[in-house]
Amino acid sequence: MRGGKGSSVILWAIVLYLLIPLFMTLVYSLFTEWMDVLPKGFTLKYYAVIFKDAAFWQALARTVVISIVPVAAAAAMILLVMYVVVVYLPWLDKYLQIICTIPYAVQGVILPVSVLSLYAGAPAPLSNRIAMLTFTYCVVILPYMYQGIKNSLISVDAPRLLEAAQMLGADKFFAFFRIIVPCMLSGVVISSMLSVALIFGDFVIVNTIGGSYYSTAQMYLLKKMFISGQVTSAVIIVLFVVTLAISAAVFWLKSKTVEIGAKEGEKA
């Protein structure tokens, strides 16, 4: 019991430590000035400014799209590849792991500059800025997606699960999509949310590759930093709420999918 209470205290201390900067940002965005111990002049005008700005909503929509599309594409590709490797070609995993960890060494400005140098003069659609941005993000999130999906496949013991499904009369296609994928859904969702959060907060890559072609919320935030600290704080809070809403929606859909799968299993 003492160990449990001690762990809870440490956990809550870490949570409070992480939430204090966000809380202070929220307070700063709700007052006109903060020159003393307590802020003065409660107002919501800074939120009204960004909510009335069409450029903010356009930038936010672009951010959501560019955060979801690469993650969905990378998850689908890595899931299929890792399934084949774990079940049929386990000796290839060490080479795949080396390939998937390479993005750790080329993050920051190195990767987008390299992509621009290589594909700027290439034929369409490779030279398209949005296509380059999407594929670059697929590379950036590769280590996170690989490790999460690999751990999920190992934890559910995919080879034995496949053998059991085939012994019961299920073909490989059915076993993969209706048995193995639902069992490892939690790991895929967590890896996807980590990747979405990484892309959602990126500025270097989107500014280097997208530039004025694809202005996202982070670029909008940079512009507001030179105008008003309160407006900047309001933008940060709104982006946090949007990220939280996306995470909640994904976990809700995951729980519904698991619930539906459990009901179908009971009927069967």
Side-chain angles (χ1 to χ4, degrees):
M1 291 298 292
R2 290 182 179 179
K5 290 182 179 180
S7 300
S8 300
V9 171
I10 294 174
L11 181 61
W12 279 109
I14 294 174
V15 170
L16 290 175
Y17 176 78
L18 295 175
L19 288 180
I20 285 175
L22 183 65
F23 175 74
M24 301 304 289
T25 303
L26 173 63
V27 173
Y28 189 63
S29 68
L30 293 173
F31 293 87
T32 56
E33 62 178 33
W34 197 346
M35 305 299 293
D36 206 341
V37 177
L38 297 176
K40 299 178 182 179
F42 178 81
T43 181
L44 294 175
K45 68 177 183 180
Y46 302 114
Y47 288 93
V49 168
I50 61 175
F51 287 155
K52 293 179 181 178
D53 191 357
F56 169 74
W57 295 110
Q58 294 171 0
L60 182 60
R62 296 189 192 101
T63 304
V64 172
V65 171
I66 204 61
S67 298
I68 294 177
V69 173
V71 171
M77 291 185 292
I78 297 174
L79 184 59
L80 293 173
V81 172
M82 285 305 304
Y83 174 72
V84 173
V85 170
V86 170
V87 176
Y88 301 105
L89 303 170
W91 59 273
L92 281 177
D93 181 53
K94 57 182 179 181
Y95 302 106
L96 188 62
Q97 184 177 12
I98 295 174
I99 294 173
C100 290
T101 52
I102 289 177
Y104 279 129
V106 291
Q107 288 188 1
V109 73
I110 300 174
L111 182 59
V113 169
S114 302
V115 171
L116 280 175
S117 302
L118 184 62
Y119 293 106
L126 295 178
S127 59
N128 183 274
R129 293 297 182 106
I130 309 304
M132 284 193 289
L133 187 61
T134 302
F135 295 143
T136 302
Y137 277 140
C138 287
V139 173
V140 170
I141 64 176
L142 197 57
Y144 307 94
M145 297 300 301
Y146 162 79
Q147 197 60 52
I149 291 176
K150 176 185 175 180
N151 292 340
S152 298
L153 283 169
I154 294 175
S155 64
V156 301
D157 199 354
R160 292 190 178 183
L161 200 60
L162 178 62
E163 291 177 3
Q166 289 179 313
M167 290 178 62
L168 294 174
D171 57 34
K172 295 180 180 180
F173 184 85
F174 180 90
F176 176 70
F177 286 102
R178 299 299 300 273
I179 299 175
I180 295 178
V181 172
C183 287
M184 57 180 295
L185 193 59
S186 296
V188 176
V189 169
I190 293 173
S191 301
S192 299
M193 294 314 303
L194 287 173
S195 302
V196 168
L198 179 69
I199 297 175
F200 207 90
D202 173 69
F203 174 77
V204 175
I205 295 176
V206 70
N207 186 48
T208 305
I209 297 179
S212 59
Y213 293 93
Y214 202 81
S215 179
T216 60
Q218 295 299 323
M219 300 173 69
Y220 179 88
L221 177 62
L222 178 66
K223 295 176 182 178
K224 294 303 178 183
M225 287 177 63
F226 298 100
I227 299 175
S228 171
Q230 285 90 344
V231 174
T232 302
S233 300
V235 173
I236 292 173
I237 295 300
V238 173
L239 293 181
F240 172 78
V241 172
V242 171
T243 307
L244 194 64
I246 293 175
S247 303
V250 170
F251 282 108
W252 180 80
L253 289 174
K254 186 205 75 170
S255 63
K256 287 295 182 182
T257 303
V258 173
E259 183 179 341
I260 293 173
K263 290 182 180 179
E264 290 181 353
E266 291 177 359
K267 292 180 180 179

